[in-house]
Amino acid sequence: MEGRFPSEPRTAWEEVEHESTRFKLSQRGGGAVAPTWADAALSKEAVEEELWQELALERIRDVLQKKEKEYGDNLKPATKCQIILNAIEEAAASGQFNTEEVAMMLHGLVELHISLSEHVPKMVRSIYHWLASVRSPKHRLAKSIGPLAREHPHDVVVTLLHCSPACDRTAVVLWGVMFSDVETSKLVMNELIRVLDNWPQHETSTADGNNVVVCSLAATRALQEILNMDTCKVAVKKRFPHLFLAVLFQISFSTQDMPDDVQDFWEQCTREDEQRHEYNRFAAYILAKLLIHVDCLEQLSAFERGKGWDILLSPHVHHLGLTLLAGELKSTTFEFRLWVLHAMKRRLSRKEPHWKIAAMAFILEFLTCEDLREQDDFIVRLLPRYLGSEDDKMVDLLIRGLLKLCDGRRRARKIAYVLPDILALLKHEDTDLVYLVLVLLVRILQRIDRLLDRRTAKNMAASLRPLFQHRDSNVRFLAIQFYMDVMDFTEPIEKRHVWPEVRKCLVPLLCHLDDDVEKVAEAALKTLTFAAKFLKESQLKRLLRARDKYGAAEYLAREGGRVTNVYMQQGMLYLKSEHEFARLAAVRFLGLLGRHIMDWREEKLPIICEALKGMADDPNPSVANLASQNALILETVEKRRNGTIGKHTVYAQVRRVWKRMPPWLSMWCWC
């Protein structure tokens, strides 16, 4: 018979087979019943297993007895283990032993408990290689890995992953043996999770003192085979949150940035696969199997209906896919969501940037749950750091999350503490992000249930004004409309301090009365009318209610005084606008302003003339012609005024001094 020792007599094997065919009666239900053929097969298998183990132990003792004669009787356990392993290596080199004999020696080495921790990696490698040389991987030798994994799970897991990163048939059998025992499976799963958590490589050391580098992809390949086993269900359910996060982070890492060496390693592992996929898609398949193992079928189906996998695996909208997945998992148990929330907090506090996107997505989404509302203090403290992040995806994710969190007065007031950081995002180049920031500001103002002080109102007004000439009409509309809300929500006692800032918006709003988009023009008219009411300019308010645009522009041009500089600066700013209607309106207003200027000592008129002359090269002929006409008119006015004998100059100076006099002094001068 192949595989038995030559020294074993054939009659012994025949006696064992004859003994295994004897049936014994068993007590079932109080009575004796005849044994079944299944009982006979189990009895025969048990006898063969017991005999094989005895032969393995006997073989080990024979090898040790020979060495004891050479070195003495008092051999240390480490020396005995080394002797057996050396004998196996010599057998591999010389071909002296067959496969069955080597298998017996390895099995006996484990059963005798003479192996020390420093020899475990070498024993695992020997078991793997000799088991791979057997035609059938389901050999008795595979069971030897169980006791080793129970006592030394770290060395066994790391060594096996290093020996078989692609998880071939032999490795699958060994993983199956380890997961056939409940206690062993817990220990092995813990070690497997440690490898999965370290992206892209897990650097560790084994008991023999060697430094080992294991790619986390190898652990994912092993996890795929483990999930196909019926014996893994208990271990997977107990460690599901850890496995879920480990695989989720691998999807996030590989989607955002896949290192070249890891990509090459993955291609080598999948070289023999019939259907080859990208690694992030393979990891997504593992994540789906994990959700199925814990009966999250409804959540998985809803995620798939929303094309969640395509969004999750796309580098451009990956953060939105994470948010969608977290939203579907909000219907899971409170314990799972609380555990994930605290785990994500710990990951977010680490220095590795790879964790940030996924951790922030789940934290923001889970904080919208009613039973987790009290856990939001942590994220509020981190807002200033991440709102100023250079990662646009992180900022976009954070703004979208704050929009969902800002659902009441308590949270709106918490978010209001970082209002300066939110206002700074209005300068961002991404139009969609700017629009979301405006929506968030509107929501904060609606839910905060508190009026604005002078500092906040001035900062918001100054940040909103540049958005009036934004290239996107929706941003212009929302910014102009929100500007009116800022004025309305300002403390009455603080309004006088906000007047200088509001006056800076009059000319921009006047230019937008001719906006190409009708809703923006209507919003500009309403906001300008409210600004006139805010500034207590009753005449301007009446002109705007009558929709007299020219009359409103002439009123502002005639106003004079210090505000002339403000109006002139805002008008010149709109000469550089990318919108034709804005440039045309600015040219009209500056022409009116130049005709009504009474003080030439500050040389404002020449500045306006030079600015209008510079518009002669405007691509729009209407703007260029109107600018040239206004410049020519203002030059004529300037020459005529310079030719007078100071009549208008003296009048203007006397009028300005008279306005600045205190009432009692002006009355005395009048008398």
Side-chain angles (χ1 to χ4, degrees):
M1 182 180 292
E2 183 181 357
R4 68 179 178 87
F5 293 135
S7 60
E8 188 69 22
R10 185 176 181 84
T11 56
W13 291 85
E14 293 175 350
E15 290 176 0
V16 171
E17 294 176 357
H18 180 67
E19 185 70 23
S20 63
T21 58
R22 299 176 183 176
F23 293 161
K24 297 181 180 180
L25 297 178
S26 59
Q27 300 293 330
R28 297 181 183 176
V33 296
T36 62
W37 288 104
D39 296 334
L42 290 174
S43 177
K44 181 179 180 180
E45 184 180 353
V47 172
E48 289 180 353
E49 183 69 23
E50 183 178 357
L51 178 60
W52 193 82
Q53 291 182 6
E54 291 180 358
L55 293 174
L57 296 176
E58 184 179 350
R59 185 61 183 168
I60 291 291
R61 293 190 184 97
D62 291 342
V63 174
L64 292 177
Q65 286 177 1
K66 293 179 182 179
K67 294 298 180 180
E68 285 177 353
K69 293 179 180 179
E70 298 179 10
Y71 300 103
D73 297 338
N74 298 325
L75 291 177
K76 296 181 179 180
T79 307
K80 292 180 181 180
C81 186
Q82 189 63 43
I83 289 172
I84 302 300
L85 293 175
N86 291 339
I88 294 173
E89 292 180 355
E90 292 174 0
S94 61
Q96 181 180 359
F97 300 149
N98 57 25
T99 304
E100 194 69 22
E101 290 177 340
V102 173
M104 287 183 178
M105 294 176 67
L106 287 171
H107 184 77
L109 189 61
V110 175
E111 290 295 327
L112 286 175
H113 300 285
I114 62 174
S115 59
L116 296 180
S117 58
E118 60 266 20
H119 297 292
V120 171
K122 193 172 184 180
M123 293 176 64
V124 174
R125 287 192 293 268
S126 299
I127 292 173
Y128 171 78
H129 290 304
W130 283 102
L131 192 61
S133 64
V134 182
R135 293 180 181 179
S136 176
K138 295 182 179 180
H139 192 272
R140 297 184 183 93
L141 177 61
K143 297 181 180 180
S144 304
I145 202 75
L148 286 178
R150 197 176 304 113
E151 296 179 6
H152 311 282
H154 172 73
D155 292 333
V156 171
V157 171
V158 171
T159 306
L160 184 56
L161 291 175
H162 190 264
C163 291
S164 178
C167 197
D168 55 10
R169 289 181 60 198
T170 304
V172 171
V173 172
L174 294 177
W175 289 115
V177 172
M178 287 186 278
F179 276 88
S180 61
D181 181 70
V182 177
E183 296 298 327
T184 306
S185 63
K186 294 179 183 178
L187 300 174
V188 172
M189 186 63 79
N190 292 339
E191 297 298 330
L192 202 62
I193 291 171
R194 288 193 182 95
V195 181
L196 288 169
D197 277 339
N198 291 291
W199 175 269
Q201 293 178 337
H202 177 65
E203 299 180 1
T204 184
S205 59
T206 51
D208 54 1
N210 295 328
N211 294 325
V212 181
V213 178
V214 180
C215 188
S216 58
L217 305 187
T220 313
R221 291 278 294 190
L223 182 61
Q224 178 198 15
E225 301 296 339
I226 292 170
L227 291 176
N228 293 329
M229 304 173 186
D230 295 334
T231 56
C232 75
K233 292 183 178 180
V234 177
V236 169
K237 286 186 177 181
K238 288 186 177 180
R239 304 292 287 174
F240 168 71
H242 302 81
L243 291 170
F244 174 79
L245 288 191
V247 178
L248 177 69
F249 282 125
Q250 287 201 7
I251 296 174
S252 183
F253 300 159
S254 57
T255 301
Q256 297 178 74
D257 182 21
M258 187 73 166
D260 294 336
D261 53 345
V262 179
Q263 182 64 35
D264 296 339
F265 176 79
W266 175 247
E267 291 178 358
Q268 293 177 4
C269 290
T270 58
R271 186 175 300 170
E272 298 180 359
D273 292 354
E274 296 180 359
Q275 295 181 352
R276 301 176 64 179
H277 301 288
E278 294 293 331
Y279 176 70
N280 59 350
R281 193 164 294 275
F282 171 77
Y285 168 74
I286 301 298
L287 188 67
K289 293 190 69 174
L290 283 172
L291 292 173
I292 293 173
H293 268 72
V294 293
D295 301 327
C296 290
L297 296 178
E298 294 182 3
Q299 294 84 349
L300 185 60
S301 299
F303 183 68
E304 291 176 349
R305 285 195 301 270
K307 297 182 179 180
W309 294 119
D310 295 334
I311 301 174
L312 183 65
L313 301 179
S314 174
H316 303 291
V317 291
H318 170 69
H319 60 293
L320 301 182
L322 291 168
T323 303
L324 184 60
L325 179 61
E328 297 299 338
L329 293 178
K330 288 195 298 184
S331 58
T332 54
T333 61
F334 170 76
E335 290 76 13
F336 169 72
R337 287 182 284 112
L338 184 62
W339 188 94
V340 170
L341 184 64
H342 288 297
M344 292 298 189
K345 288 180 181 179
R346 293 191 296 270
R347 299 293 175 92
L348 201 60
S349 60
R350 295 185 183 180
K351 296 182 179 180
E352 292 87 350
H354 301 291
W355 308 100
K356 308 298 183 183
I357 294 291
M360 185 64 74
F362 272 77
I363 289 175
L364 291 174
E365 197 65 31
F366 279 4
L367 285 178
T368 59
C369 300
E370 289 295 331
D371 48 4
L372 294 175
R373 294 180 63 87
E374 301 300 327
Q375 305 287 333
D376 55 2
D377 291 335
F378 172 80
I379 193 63
V380 172
R381 292 194 299 268
L382 293 179
L383 285 179
R385 182 195 308 175
Y386 291 104
L387 283 173
S389 174
E390 297 179 358
D391 189 354
D392 293 344
K393 294 180 182 178
M394 172 61 78
V395 177
D396 182 76
L397 182 67
L398 199 56
I399 295 300
R400 292 177 185 273
L402 291 178
L403 277 171
K404 296 179 181 179
L405 289 178
C406 189
D407 55 357
R409 183 178 63 179
R410 187 182 70 87
R411 282 185 170 175
R413 290 186 175 183
K414 285 186 176 182
I415 299 173
Y417 284 112
V418 293
L419 201 57
D421 300 285
I422 298 176
L423 291 174
L425 293 176
L426 293 175
K427 301 177 182 178
H428 205 279
E429 297 179 357
D430 188 1
T431 302
D432 295 335
L433 180 61
V434 173
Y435 185 81
L436 288 175
V437 173
L438 285 173
V439 175
L440 176 61
L441 290 171
V442 172
R443 189 165 298 182
I444 292 174
L445 200 60
Q446 291 174 348
R447 300 220 183 352
I448 197 172
D449 193 19
R450 180 189 296 169
L451 296 178
L452 302 176
D453 58 6
R454 73 175 77 168
R455 180 180 299 177
T456 305
K458 291 172 69 174
N459 290 340
M460 295 180 77
S463 301
L464 289 172
R465 193 174 60 254
L467 297 180
F468 291 176
Q469 51 179 335
H470 198 275
R471 59 182 179 273
D472 187 76
S473 60
N474 293 323
V475 173
R476 296 201 304 271
F477 171 73
L478 191 57
I480 292 174
Q481 202 173 41
F482 183 56
Y483 198 96
M484 183 171 61
D485 295 337
V486 172
M487 291 187 289
D488 191 23
F489 277 85
T490 304
E491 285 274 7
I493 197 173
E494 304 281 3
K495 288 184 177 181
R496 186 175 295 273
H497 300 282
V498 189
W499 282 359
E501 195 64 43
V502 174
R503 286 196 178 273
K504 295 179 182 179
C505 81
L506 297 180
V507 174
L509 290 174
L510 183 69
C511 294
H512 282 281
L513 295 179
D514 298 323
D515 198 293
D516 293 338
V517 183
E518 184 178 358
K519 67 175 184 179
V520 179
E522 290 295 327
L525 180 60
K526 291 181 181 179
T527 304
L528 187 57
T529 305
F530 193 89
K533 178 183 177 182
F534 186 86
L535 295 171
K536 299 182 179 180
E537 299 283 355
S538 57
Q539 186 177 353
L540 178 61
K541 180 181 175 182
R542 285 194 299 270
L543 291 170
L544 291 171
R545 284 185 174 177
R547 293 182 178 268
D548 187 359
K549 301 177 185 177
Y550 180 81
E554 192 173 13
Y555 176 84
L556 294 177
R558 287 200 317 264
E559 194 169 357
R562 296 180 180 179
V563 296
T564 304
N565 287 329
V566 176
Y567 296 159
M568 186 177 69
Q569 291 174 3
Q570 296 299 321
M572 289 185 176
L573 185 63
Y574 265 68
L575 289 177
K576 303 176 183 179
S577 175
E578 61 182 31
H579 304 289
E580 293 180 359
F581 70 85
R583 298 198 301 272
L584 196 62
V587 169
R588 289 199 197 101
F589 177 75
L590 288 175
L592 284 174
L593 186 64
R595 295 171 200 174
H596 290 87
I597 287 179
M598 299 295 294
D599 187 4
W600 309 292
R601 192 174 61 181
E602 298 180 6
E603 299 181 353
K604 297 173 185 175
L605 193 59
I607 296 175
I608 296 176
C609 290
E610 290 297 325
L612 292 176
K613 287 180 181 179
M615 297 297 293
D617 298 332
D618 193 271
N620 188 357
S622 301
V623 177
N625 293 334
L626 184 62
S628 301
Q629 292 174 8
N630 278 283
L632 185 61
I633 293 172
L634 292 180
E635 284 181 349
T636 304
V637 172
E638 184 180 9
K639 289 179 182 179
R640 182 181 298 178
R641 289 179 178 177
N642 289 337
T644 59
I645 312 175
K647 176 181 177 182
H648 297 287
T649 306
V650 173
Y651 172 76
Q653 291 178 357
V654 170
R655 182 171 176 269
R656 184 177 61 185
V657 171
W658 187 271
K659 283 187 174 182
R660 293 180 180 178
M661 278 186 181
W664 63 270
L665 183 59
S666 60
M667 287 293 295
W668 180 79
C669 293
W670 181 260
C671 295

